[in-house]
Amino acid sequence: MIHVKRQKNERLSSGILIPVLLTGIVLYLLFAGVGSVAGSTRTEQLEVLTQAVRRATVQCYAIEGRYPPSVEYLEEHYGLSIDREKYHVFYSGWASNIMPEITIIPAGEGEITWQ
């Protein structure tokens, strides 16, 4: 009789262990997938913002015959909208007839210090 009880306990343990392991694996894969989607979404948002700033810059040049003096000018006159808490936009133009350099960096990546 003791031998029979022992077999039932071993079956019960393996019967619970397999579903718990499978649930853990499924949860791990789910969270890994969500993290991957979030990373690709951030990259896509950065690309869309970069294209929007460049498009507004070129549109300003086409309409006014000069490149805009700043990103703030584009926001004010061309409806460009930038989430300043998410992105740092560096706009460097030194002549009104030469395309300025536009660099956009996500705000959460590294610390930006000015000296």
Side-chain angles (χ1 to χ4, degrees):
M1 235 184 196
I2 295 174
H3 183 65
V4 175
K5 274 188 169 181
R6 184 176 268 169
Q7 281 183 333
K8 286 183 180 181
N9 285 340
E10 288 176 6
R11 285 184 188 167
L12 183 63
S13 296
S14 65
I16 292 174
L17 184 62
I18 292 173
V20 168
L21 285 175
L22 288 176
T23 302
I25 291 170
V26 168
L27 287 174
Y28 173 76
L29 292 174
L30 177 70
F31 287 122
V34 168
S36 174
V37 169
S40 65
T41 300
R42 275 185 244 116
T43 302
E44 189 173 317
Q45 287 175 344
L46 181 63
E47 183 62 33
V48 167
L49 178 59
T50 302
Q51 290 175 0
V53 173
R54 289 187 191 283
R55 192 177 313 117
T57 301
V58 171
Q59 182 181 13
C60 178
Y61 184 76
I63 292 171
E64 298 181 17
R66 64 181 177 91
Y67 286 106
S70 66
V71 176
E72 289 77 17
Y73 184 86
L74 292 173
E75 289 177 309
E76 186 177 322
H77 294 94
Y78 289 89
L80 185 65
S81 177
I82 299 171
D83 186 351
R84 300 287 182 169
E85 293 188 15
K86 282 187 174 183
Y87 301 102
H88 298 290
V89 180
F90 300 96
Y91 183 92
S92 174
W94 57 277
S96 65
N97 63 341
I98 296 176
M99 178 75 169
E101 286 186 39
I102 301 166
T103 305
I104 301 173
I105 300 172
E109 299 202 7
E111 190 68 31
I112 297 176
T113 57
W114 301 98
Q115 295 181 359

